[in-house]
């Protein structure tokens, strides 16, 4: 395989991994487009009715503009502020959806030096909990593992009076995460949970 073929394959693989690990904005785009189409269609119908001299469906364009211009004079500032706030919130949501990465609950696992396998965070959490449980001798029911994009939280709930080997749990967890070779590599956080049976 030539260097160009390898470069093309790497580029394609990165593109596929990014597409599969990020949430598409299809729903938000369809909803936004549908709202724009409905509003534009309504305004077009009102304009046509106004031009042919027919009665408007709700309110004609001229009357609408006149009412909008006289709202502040009528003391309806609260209505204007409420409409502006709703429009601002919708705009902020759309900007957030456009700029936010929208990551799915998956990590890329490095295989032979290349990130080529996507693994669900739930599968990672289950595998990590199993490894810690078997190596540290902790009952699986006393372990809670949560895998996020940037961190892995391991909470161990001990029985009353039973010593808790947090350092051993941390070492096992870090070794297992290193074996997974995740990209991006999450940070491991190990904490002591509430003692089993303690209702306070």
């Amino acid at each position: 395989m030539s260097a160009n073929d390898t470069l093309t394959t790497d580029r394609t693989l990165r593109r596929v991994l990014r597409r599969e690990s990020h949430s598409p904005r299809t729903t938000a785009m369809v909803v936004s487009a549908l709202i724009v189409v409905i509003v534009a269609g309504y305004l077009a119908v009102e304009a046509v009715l106004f031009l042919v001299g027919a009665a408007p469906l709700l309110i004609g364009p001229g009357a609408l503009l006149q009412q909008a211009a006289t709202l502040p004079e009528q003391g309806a500032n609260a209505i204007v502020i409420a409409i502006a706030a709703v429009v601002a919130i919708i705009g902020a949501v759309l900007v957030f959806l456009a700029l936010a990465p929208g990551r799915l609950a998956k990590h890329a696992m490095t295989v032979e030096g290349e990130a080529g396998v996507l693994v669900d965070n739930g599968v990672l959490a289950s595998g990590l909990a199993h490894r810690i449980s078997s190596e540290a001798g902790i009952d699986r029911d006393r372990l809670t593992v949560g895998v996020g994009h940037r961190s892995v939280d391991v909470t161990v709930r001990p029985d009353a009076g039973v010593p808790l080997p947090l350092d051993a749990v941390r070492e096992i967890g870090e070794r297992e995460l290193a074996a997974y070779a995740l990209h991006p590599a999450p940070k491991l956080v190990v904490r002591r949970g509430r003692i089993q049976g303690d209702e306070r």
Side-chain angles (χ1 to χ4, degrees):
M1 183 180 286
S2 68
N4 285 339
D5 291 340
T6 304
L7 186 61
T8 303
T9 302
D10 291 346
R11 209 177 293 145
T12 304
L13 181 61
R14 282 197 300 271
R15 194 178 318 128
V16 169
L17 286 174
R18 176 163 177 77
R19 185 181 66 227
E20 294 300 321
S21 63
H22 287 69
S23 174
R25 302 302 190 190
T26 310
T27 304
M29 184 190 70
V30 168
V31 170
S32 302
L34 192 59
I35 291 172
V36 169
V37 166
I38 290 172
V39 170
Y42 166 72
L43 292 176
V45 169
E46 289 290 14
V48 169
L49 291 175
F50 176 75
L51 290 175
V52 298
L57 294 176
L58 296 176
I59 185 170
L64 179 63
L65 290 174
Q66 186 177 4
Q67 278 195 344
T70 59
L71 271 177
E73 297 173 6
Q74 296 172 358
N77 287 334
I79 296 174
V80 174
I81 291 172
I83 293 172
V86 169
V87 171
I89 290 171
I90 292 172
V93 168
L94 291 176
V95 168
F96 173 77
L97 289 175
L99 299 178
R103 297 183 187 276
L104 296 174
K106 296 178 182 180
H107 275 80
M109 185 180 286
T110 304
V111 178
E112 297 180 358
E114 295 185 5
V117 179
L118 278 179
V119 185
D120 188 81
N121 286 355
V123 174
L124 293 173
S126 178
L128 191 59
H130 176 73
R131 175 69 67 183
I132 292 172
S133 173
S134 60
E135 287 196 23
I138 299 172
D139 187 27
R140 178 65 183 85
D141 293 336
R142 290 194 279 140
L143 277 173
T144 303
V145 180
V147 178
H149 181 64
R150 298 189 183 276
S151 66
V152 175
D153 291 317
V154 178
T155 304
V156 186
R157 295 179 306 280
D159 288 322
V162 176
L164 186 60
L166 285 183
D167 290 337
V169 170
R170 185 175 289 107
E171 182 184 341
I172 295 166
E174 286 176 351
R175 190 169 63 241
E176 186 72 2
L177 281 177
Y180 292 162
L182 301 177
H183 177 76
K187 178 184 176 184
L188 180 69
V189 178
V190 179
R191 67 189 78 204
R192 178 190 180 99
R194 181 181 295 177
I195 293 175
Q196 198 89 334
D198 187 1
E199 299 300 327
R200 293 176 299 170

